[in-house]
Amino acid sequence: MGDATISGETNSTGGQTIRPEEAAHFGSLARDWWDPKGSSAMLHKLNPVRLAFVRAAIDAHWGTDPESVRPLAGRSALDVGCGAGLLCEPLARLGADVTGVDAAPENTAAAAQHAEGAGLDIRYMAGEIAMLDIGTFDLVTSMEVIEHVADKHAFVIALAERLVPGGLLILSTPNRTPQSQLLLVRAAEAFGTIPKGTHHWDDFVTPEELRGLLADAGLAMGEPRGIGFSPGKGLHLSADLALNYIVTATRT
């Protein structure tokens, strides 16, 4: 596949994945990331849905007891694009030795402060994932991140390189469809659901494109699950991939 082609444009920047303007945008939100009514309110609503998928994937991949409160005990986990730690903290509570990496140092500083207040021992680092000497992990997650990186091909390869043999990768991202353009970009920004400039529709990745990116990195993609919305259910896992989806990947 070579350099991945997303929405007709080649996403090759010589391996540099961080976009400084994206890091600055999300870093500016660090101060109220943990406020469920603040600028990251949508992430607070999305997190339980993602966690339900993550927990089911953990149990399916490693055969852990669905009733266990610490299914990741003895395992390591890396969250890439961790923001202020909304996913890192639940992973730590599930028993994992957690590392969080983000492009914005403001975010990792806020994450470390919150984790300390919660009594959680989580390692946070800011920087380019491929350039950090952090080792490999049993579980690697990257939620709502790939649409923000400069070189998607290099980014997925970097994620794959962080996986131990037999490890599990979990990704989520908006799909590039007319529905997502209308609801996740135009309507969400117009109604203040997300800060302006959060999403750029042309950078959204379709499941087919993601499957190709993962294959280039030596990973096989599982069956994607949609993250949908309805007035009755709110955000929920769904068979409809039109807005957003979440998926596992493992080494081929």
Side-chain angles (χ1 to χ4, degrees), residues 49-73:
V49 182
R50 300 189 304 197
L51 281 169
F53 181 93
V54 168
R55 177 57 201 260
I58 289 168
D59 292 339
H61 186 71
W62 283 294
T64 49
D65 182 355
E67 300 300 319
S68 171
V69 296
R70 291 174 60 83
L72 290 175

Side-chain angles (χ1 to χ4, degrees), residues 11 17-24 147-150 152 200 203:
N11 280 262
T17 66
I18 292 174
R19 287 174 171 156
E21 69 278 10
E22 295 273 8
E147 67 270 22
H148 299 294
V149 305
K152 293 169 174 50
H200 302 284
D203 278 323

Side-chain angles (χ1 to χ4, degrees), residues 154-209:
F155 181 70
V156 172
I157 288 175
L159 294 179
E161 289 175 344
R162 295 304 177 192
L163 274 180
V164 301
L168 177 66
L169 173 66
I170 303 178
L171 293 162
S172 69
T173 185
N175 197 354
R176 196 176 67 254
T177 64
Q179 297 96 313
S180 70
Q181 186 175 44
L182 176 62
L183 295 176
L184 298 186
V185 182
R186 294 176 182 172
E189 290 191 357
F191 288 100
T193 305
I194 61 172
K196 290 185 182 298
T198 296
H199 288 316
H200 302 284
W201 183 80
D202 287 345
D203 278 323
F204 289 0
V205 181
T206 69
E208 294 77 17
E209 290 166 348

